[in-house]
Amino acid sequence: MRVATWNVNSVVRRLTHLLDWLERHQPDVIALQELKATAEAFPTEALRELGYQSLVVGERSWNGVALLSRHELVPIVKALPGDPSDKQARYLEAAVGGVLFGCLYLPNGNPQPGPKFDYKLKWFARLIRRADELWKSGQPVVLLGDWNVVPTDSDIYKPDSWRKDALLQPESRQAFAELLSQGWTDVIKSAYPDQVPYTFWDFFRKHWERDAGLRIDHILVSNQLQIVDAGVDREERGRDHPSDHAPVWAELKLRKGSKARQAARPAAKSGNEPVAAAPAAKKASVPKNTAVGGPDLSKAVKAPFPEQLSPQLATLTAAAPSEGDWIVENKWDGYRITIKFKGGKPHLITRNGNDWTAKLKPLVADLEKLQVQQAWLDGEMVVMGEHGVPDFNRLQNAIDNARTQAIVLYLFDAPFVGDQDLRDVPLRARREVLRKLLEGRASERIRFSDELPASPAQVLSAACQLGLEGVMLKKADSPYVGRRSDTWLKLKCQRRQEFVVIGFTDRTNSPREVGALILGYYEQGKLRPGGSVGTGWSSSQGAELHAQLVKLETKQPAVDPSLVEPGRWSKRKRGTERWVRPEMVVEVAFGEWTPDGNVRHPTFRGVRTDKPASAIRRETPAPAPTVALAKSTGRKAAQASTVTLATAKHGVKITHPDRVIDTASGLTKIDLVKYYEAVADRILPHLQLRPVSLVRAPQGISGQLFFQKHSDAKLKGITELDEALWPGHDSLMSVDTVEGLITAAQLNVVEFHTWNSTARRIDQPDRVVFDLDPGEGVTWAHLQEAAVLVRTMLEHLELQSWLKTSGGKGLHVVVPLAPRLDYEQVKDFSKAVVAHMAKTIPQRFVAKSGGSNRVGKIFIDYLRNGHGQTTAAAFSARARAGLGVSIPIAWDQLPDITGGAHWNIATAPAYLAGEITDPWADYWKSRQSLAEGLKLLGMKPARRVSTSV
């Protein structure tokens, strides 16, 4: 059986990652930690659709554990025995097939010394006693989870920098060693005795990229269990918005002579059968016909043959990259298939791991003629239409009706051949291996997917004209990874993706045919409507769809009824929609997404049976990869360094677009320009009619920065405000248009800072900003906690607040106001709030600025609320390494944010493009009064300023 453990760091936020990983790896049992969700909020239904039962001990904020199983779960205990007063959700035990599993989330213990570390040691002592009881039971036992212990110095990249951390304290290590001394086997240490893989990488200083990690997630097994294989899926830590932990897994089997006894449960027998022993891995040999020469195979590794292999997936992108060595292929409109050759027999495996060998006998016969003894090959199967291009509908019909003679298989990769693991070999070399393997053996059904010798833009244009789905771009030097990667990109001629069918209507005058399919997709674990499609099928296919959907019919929609408007999809009378269980998946081509998340101009392309409904998400194209351009010299290069930003359509000339402005990330001036163009509609409401100060970086952010408050020339799109607004000073500026944004970026402006008032009421601020500025030694977790405390304080003062990242180290808590008071009154109020926080919680907050005053503490900068003071605007980039961005977020997103610069100018546009709901939508409607807050703080009533607009 395959078991795993994963600290998911918020199961709701990481649900897409979790479902994807489970779909690819299909462990029998997995333990989850740090759910940050109650049992009611746990995504039980989404997991059940993948075939997993769930046993959950939830907690709203930081803790929570769960066990998932593809087999029956028999609960044993839902808390660690030994202290009935301990209510933290950290431990769970259940039996699966006679093997007992203990899922644990051992306390972190920081800061130490202190009560949290004392609690950790007491909890550990209880765990040792419980483990001893389990060991003596004679039953096969697996203890797995996040132990928050680095067992030895060899389990961490740089132990000296962590010496004061609770994870490395002698007491923690001694407790772990004491537990091991009972006889438990540390699975990962046993599988990797020389150099253990890390399981955790924090989000600072590119620790994951540098593999500067720790091993704190452990699987311990009793002596009845034998380790077949084990590992850490490190790549999961490299996904967008990942957990800081990676999944840890093990293949286990019962030792010869051992028996899995059934666990008792109240009032009933479990009825489970013993766990089936997993076959031991066999060493593969190189078949004669796979010997190759020519390509660079220096990174090939002789390795045991993998019984499973997850396919590499491509990232949908909005445009082709302008630089880099990319292999361009047709994007075949079909089903992804990997072929496992073992003992000369081919097995055809779908993306979900289903074996379709019996369904595809004509392909199997042709594959056998390749005479490959042992390999994993990757490809796509299609059926060609009348015009010689793939027709997905015909493919679906061919599979459903067992007419598979017309199916063609295009092969494009060879990740494993003979006993050689080629996954780290560059793609171009792997393709050469595949080409040689097919040489003289390819057929009409088995073909090599050729590289197209033209630029991506040219190939995409030609593909669209021919009616193809799009093109694939693959980095020529990239390895093969079993996950979605930005080294493989897909560009589509029109938008196209899968949807879940949540309902249908009858066709007018033909009640036994489908008139329209009502579509849905999952978002943050919940099913939501995505519009409808009413074209793309024949009369006979419409009748077939109708017959299938009638069998799934239910009385109520699977989505929230308030989200579906009766009569919206029916051309007949209102309320004639028929709802179904969300099980059917269809592929739909469409023009674009509407602002409310529905498809526009859709066309039905076919039913998909290779993907579960629970895996269907809205696809969001990522921006084209940014590649730092090499420095060029000479007159021609200088002439080429002045371009017009064609996409902006404003005629603003961008000089030196390739100049790197941030050496840490390689981001260039044109990257910054494109970022501001992309977010113009987001940032402008925060800038318009408001005095703006600009931070300019003519030599890049590592050079001298200039803070400009006043306009020194007539600049395109930048408004010069009336001098009377600030007597005795030069005119202030306001940025009111996209043209102004791009003009500013051309002038090397990185940051936009704004006053707390608009030009209409310059002396009456319409907001209060609390800038949480962490001192040296303050952890991100403490800053997150501080933001929640500030929010709670403001709620006590009857004020609602909104949150945004700063783009730097901190967070901004913003309170919108009715513009009635002057700056002095508003600043005094904010100062009083900060003073109260510092007095009430002195271990966290300090009311004085200055680095020496706030070591280990947070200064809430109320000075931002003075007259003429500014704060970095929402969506402004920051002139700091990485070019972070200030992004508005919802309060419930805060636990998943990894730092004040969680997004940068390269990653923010894609995130914002997929954002369905504006977390600050109500901010613009809120105009609050400080009257009650001043009263509760014991301050004098506000003096309303009389001013004409």
Side-chain angles (χ1 to χ4, degrees):
M1 68 190 308
R2 171 172 284 208
V3 304
T5 181
W6 193 0
N7 180 320
V8 292
N9 194 358
S10 179
V11 68
V12 175
R13 292 289 178 190
R14 320 279 184 224
L15 181 58
T16 301
H17 293 0
L18 175 62
L19 293 175
D20 182 56
W21 189 86
L22 289 173
E23 184 183 341
R24 287 184 283 115
H25 295 273
Q26 300 185 351
D28 296 284
V29 179
I30 181 171
L32 304 178
Q33 304 86 42
E34 205 172 349
L35 303 181
K36 297 181 181 177
T38 61
E40 293 74 21
F42 190 80
T44 304
E45 288 303 319
L47 291 162
R48 182 179 288 125
E49 289 181 6
L50 276 186
Y52 284 91
Q53 297 184 34
S54 304
L55 191 60
V56 182
V57 179
E59 193 170 316
R60 180 179 293 276
S61 53
W62 298 107
N63 302 317
V65 291
L67 278 167
L68 313 180
S69 175
R70 297 168 66 191
H71 315 285
E72 184 181 5
L73 278 163
V74 182
I76 306 298
V77 298
K78 291 190 174 183
L80 183 64
D83 185 359
S85 66
D86 185 2
K87 302 302 180 184
Q88 294 194 27
R90 292 187 174 276
Y91 189 79
L92 182 62
E93 268 179 33
V96 180
V99 177
L100 194 143
F101 290 86
C103 168
L104 61 104
Y105 181 32
L106 202 139
N108 176 280
N110 284 309
Q112 69 82 30
K116 290 188 176 181
F117 189 64
D118 295 340
Y119 171 66
K120 174 175 188 164
L121 296 182
K122 290 178 181 177
W123 202 96
F124 219 148
R126 289 160 53 201
L127 177 64
I128 291 171
R129 290 195 295 271
R130 180 60 177 176
D132 187 50
E133 293 172 359
L134 296 174
W135 180 270
K136 291 176 180 177
S137 72
Q139 187 170 339
V141 182
V142 182
L143 298 177
L144 68 177
D146 177 358
W147 295 68
N148 272 315
V149 176
V150 178
T152 68
D153 281 1
S154 64
D155 295 287
I156 182 172
Y157 75 102
K158 193 176 181 180
D160 288 344
S161 63
W162 288 71
R163 286 297 180 204
K164 295 182 180 180
D165 196 281
L167 278 62
L168 273 73
Q169 294 310 297
E171 298 91 335
S172 303
R173 289 179 163 182
Q174 177 58 38
F176 189 77
E178 183 180 344
L179 190 146
L180 286 178
S181 69
Q182 296 173 354
W184 303 92
T185 299
D186 182 341
V187 169
I188 296 298
K189 182 67 175 176
S190 175
Y192 300 88
D194 299 325
Q195 186 173 0
V196 293
Y198 301 136
T199 68
F200 167 89
W201 301 260
D202 64 29
F203 295 106
F204 300 108
R205 296 180 290 279
K206 295 188 175 181
H207 278 176
W208 180 78
E209 291 82 353
R210 297 190 289 112
D211 199 27
L214 297 71
R215 187 171 76 96
I216 57 176
D217 304 86
H218 311 303
I219 300 176
L220 307 187
V221 297
S222 61
N223 60 359
Q224 294 87 352
L225 294 166
Q226 180 180 340
I227 304 165
V228 176
D229 197 4
V232 178
D233 282 354
R234 182 183 185 277
E235 292 80 8
E236 291 298 312
R237 173 60 177 79
R239 299 184 66 174
D240 290 339
H241 312 307
S243 168
D244 39 14
H245 298 249
V248 181
W249 58 270
E251 293 280 356
L252 305 173
K253 70 175 183 179
L254 287 171
R255 291 186 182 277
K256 197 170 183 179
S258 295
K259 293 184 179 180
R261 298 185 300 175
Q262 300 306 304
R265 68 177 182 182
K269 295 182 180 180
S270 70
N272 289 352
E273 296 301 321
V275 178
K282 295 182 180 179
K283 194 171 182 180
S285 59
V286 182
K288 294 180 181 179
N289 66 326
T290 58
V292 294
D296 177 14
L297 302 181
S298 58
K299 291 187 177 180
V301 177
K302 189 174 183 179
F305 184 72
E307 290 300 318
Q308 296 179 330
L309 188 140
S310 298
Q312 179 161 352
L313 305 178
T315 297
L316 179 65
T317 184
S322 58
E323 294 291 321
D325 184 10
W326 296 86
I327 292 172
V328 186
E329 299 176 56
N330 279 319
K331 186 181 188 307
W332 303 109
D333 188 9
Y335 277 170
R336 184 72 173 277
I337 290 287
T338 52
I339 302 91
K340 178 172 75 171
F341 287 91
K342 191 170 183 183
K345 298 293 184 182
H347 302 269
L348 283 76
I349 312 297
T350 69
R351 176 179 159 182
N352 288 337
N354 298 319
D355 192 330
W356 278 14
T357 307
K359 283 187 176 185
L360 304 168
K361 292 181 179 178
L363 278 184
V364 172
D366 277 29
L367 286 166
E368 286 176 340
K369 295 175 183 177
L370 297 180
Q371 299 179 8
V372 175
Q373 291 301 305
Q374 184 165 276
W376 277 97
L377 307 182
D378 199 353
E380 185 99 354
M381 63 180 192
V382 302
V383 169
M384 295 299 180
E386 294 176 356
H387 303 290
V389 297
D391 186 325
F392 181 80
N393 217 339
R394 291 193 180 198
L395 172 64
Q396 181 66 58
N397 289 334
I399 294 171
D400 290 347
N401 298 310
R403 299 170 184 169
T404 57
Q405 294 86 352
I407 294 178
V408 175
L409 177 63
Y410 281 94
L411 295 171
F412 46 72
D413 211 324
F416 204 103
V417 175
D419 63 354
Q420 297 294 309
D421 188 341
L422 306 181
R423 283 174 284 190
D424 285 335
V425 171
L427 171 62
R428 196 174 291 283
R430 294 199 308 271
R431 284 174 56 82
E432 189 58 28
V433 170
L434 177 61
R435 188 193 303 276
K436 286 179 175 289
L437 189 147
L438 295 176
E439 215 165 62
R441 300 182 180 89
S443 64
E444 282 300 309
R445 289 197 186 95
I446 311 298
R447 306 180 188 179
F448 181 76
S449 180
D450 285 306
E451 181 177 354
L452 303 173
S455 70
Q458 290 173 318
V459 173
L460 181 62
S461 175
C464 295
Q465 291 177 15
L466 289 171
L468 295 171
E469 186 185 7
V471 298
M472 296 292 300
L473 307 179
K474 301 175 183 178
K475 285 290 290 291
D477 61 352
S478 62
Y480 189 99
V481 294
R483 58 178 172 81
R484 197 170 300 281
S485 165
D486 60 5
T487 60
W488 285 21
L489 305 176
K490 53 185 176 182
L491 286 85
K492 294 186 177 182
C493 295
Q494 66 176 147
R495 297 195 179 191
R496 184 168 175 161
Q497 72 161 73
E498 298 81 23
F499 291 87
V500 183
V501 178
I502 61 174
F504 68 101
T505 64
D506 297 333
R507 183 180 175 185
T508 305
N509 300 324
S510 297
R512 293 189 179 181
E513 293 181 26
V514 164
L517 299 176
I518 306 170
L519 308 174
Y521 55 89
Y522 283 93
E523 187 176 79
Q524 296 182 348
K526 294 184 179 179
L527 188 62
R528 61 146 294 159
S532 65
V533 58
T535 185
W537 51 76
S538 64
S539 178
S540 60
Q541 194 171 23
E544 184 177 348
L545 286 169
H546 193 279
Q548 291 174 326
L549 291 170
V550 166
K551 296 177 182 178
L552 302 177
E553 195 165 4
T554 61
K555 292 183 179 181
Q556 295 296 324
V559 299
D560 184 343
S562 67
L563 298 178
V564 287
E565 179 184 350
R568 177 176 180 178
W569 293 281
S570 178
K571 294 182 180 179
R572 307 167 76 192
K573 63 181 181 179
R574 289 174 61 86
T576 56
E577 294 86 3
R578 301 173 69 173
W579 306 109
V580 298
R581 299 194 301 274
E583 296 179 9
M584 180 183 285
V585 176
V586 295
E587 184 158 349
V588 175
F590 57 99
E592 60 184 347
W593 289 98
T594 65
D596 56 351
N598 293 329
V599 291
R600 183 172 286 156
H601 308 307
T603 302
F604 173 84
R605 290 301 190 200
V607 177
R608 302 286 310 224
T609 57
D610 60 332
K611 295 184 179 182
S614 58
I616 304 306
R617 309 286 184 269
R618 172 173 170 171
E619 291 185 1
T620 303
T626 300
V627 181
L629 302 178
K631 293 182 179 180
S632 55
T633 57
R635 185 170 59 181
K636 290 184 178 179
Q639 291 172 346
S641 67
T642 299
V643 299
T644 299
L645 187 62
T647 55
K649 299 179 182 177
H650 298 290
V652 180
K653 285 189 175 181
I654 306 301
T655 58
H656 308 293
D658 306 336
R659 181 169 57 83
V660 176
I661 58 175
D662 174 32
T663 55
S665 62
L667 292 166
T668 64
K669 183 176 180 178
I670 197 66
D671 294 326
L672 183 67
V673 171
K674 288 181 177 179
Y675 166 73
Y676 278 123
E677 183 193 13
V679 301
D681 62 333
R682 305 268 190 153
I683 191 174
L684 284 174
H686 295 270
L687 303 180
Q688 289 167 332
L689 297 177
R690 200 177 289 272
V692 175
S693 297
L694 311 174
V695 176
R696 298 173 64 176
Q699 287 84 42
I701 64 170
S702 58
Q704 186 174 2
L705 303 179
F706 296 91
F707 197 81
Q708 181 179 340
K709 292 186 177 182
H710 312 284
S711 176
D712 53 8
K714 294 290 184 182
L715 301 174
K716 215 170 185 179
I718 297 179
T719 304
E720 189 173 317
L721 300 177
D722 190 341
E723 286 186 15
L725 291 174
W726 200 4
H729 294 79
D730 292 334
S731 298
L732 297 167
M733 299 176 287
S734 179
V735 178
D736 301 320
T737 65
V738 182
E739 188 178 52
L741 276 176
I742 296 173
T743 296
Q746 154 59 17
L747 294 173
N748 306 298
V749 172
V750 178
E751 301 185 6
F752 295 86
H753 291 239
T754 56
W755 283 37
N756 285 348
S757 57
T758 65
R760 290 175 177 171
R761 294 194 176 186
I762 195 66
D763 294 321
Q764 296 166 278
D766 62 357
R767 71 185 184 201
V768 187
V769 178
F770 295 93
D771 180 1
L772 277 61
D773 191 359
E776 183 181 349
V778 174
T779 66
W780 176 246
H782 285 163
L783 198 68
Q784 291 170 303
E785 177 189 57
V788 174
L789 291 171
V790 171
R791 182 195 190 192
T792 303
M793 172 67 180
L794 293 168
E795 287 176 342
H796 179 69
L797 300 176
E798 299 189 7
L799 293 168
Q800 296 300 308
S801 58
W802 279 257
L803 182 66
K804 69 185 182 80
T805 63
S806 69
K809 295 181 179 179
L811 293 165
H812 295 162
V813 178
V814 186
V815 179
L817 301 176
R820 296 171 183 163
L821 309 183
D822 61 26
Y823 269 101
E824 183 180 356
Q825 293 171 304
V826 172
K827 181 181 176 183
D828 286 347
F829 167 79
S830 63
K831 182 179 180 180
V833 171
V834 172
H836 179 82
M837 297 293 291
K839 181 180 179 180
T840 306
I841 316 176
Q843 66 271 30
R844 283 283 185 268
F845 300 106
V846 64
K848 293 182 180 180
S849 60
S852 60
N853 294 321
R854 63 176 198 267
V855 174
K857 298 183 180 181
I858 298 163
F859 172 57
I860 307 176
D861 190 354
Y862 63 88
L863 301 172
R864 303 280 182 184
N865 299 304
H867 185 274
Q869 299 300 310
T870 60
T871 305
F875 304 103
S876 172
R878 303 305 302 275
R880 304 184 183 193
L883 291 176
V885 180
S886 177
I887 296 290
I889 60 173
W891 278 103
D892 62 5
Q893 285 180 264
L894 180 58
D896 297 325
I897 301 302
T898 58
H902 186 91
W903 294 277
N904 65 11
I905 66 169
T907 60
Y911 162 73
L912 295 170
E915 189 180 60
I916 303 300
T917 304
D918 179 2
W920 275 34
D922 293 333
Y923 170 86
W924 304 103
K925 307 171 189 175
S926 179
R927 291 294 179 264
Q928 303 175 99
S929 169
L930 294 183
E932 188 63 24
L934 291 168
K935 179 181 176 182
L936 291 171
L937 289 169
M939 301 177 69
K940 293 181 180 180
R943 304 181 306 279
R944 182 170 179 174
V945 178
S946 177
T947 245
S948 58
V949 179

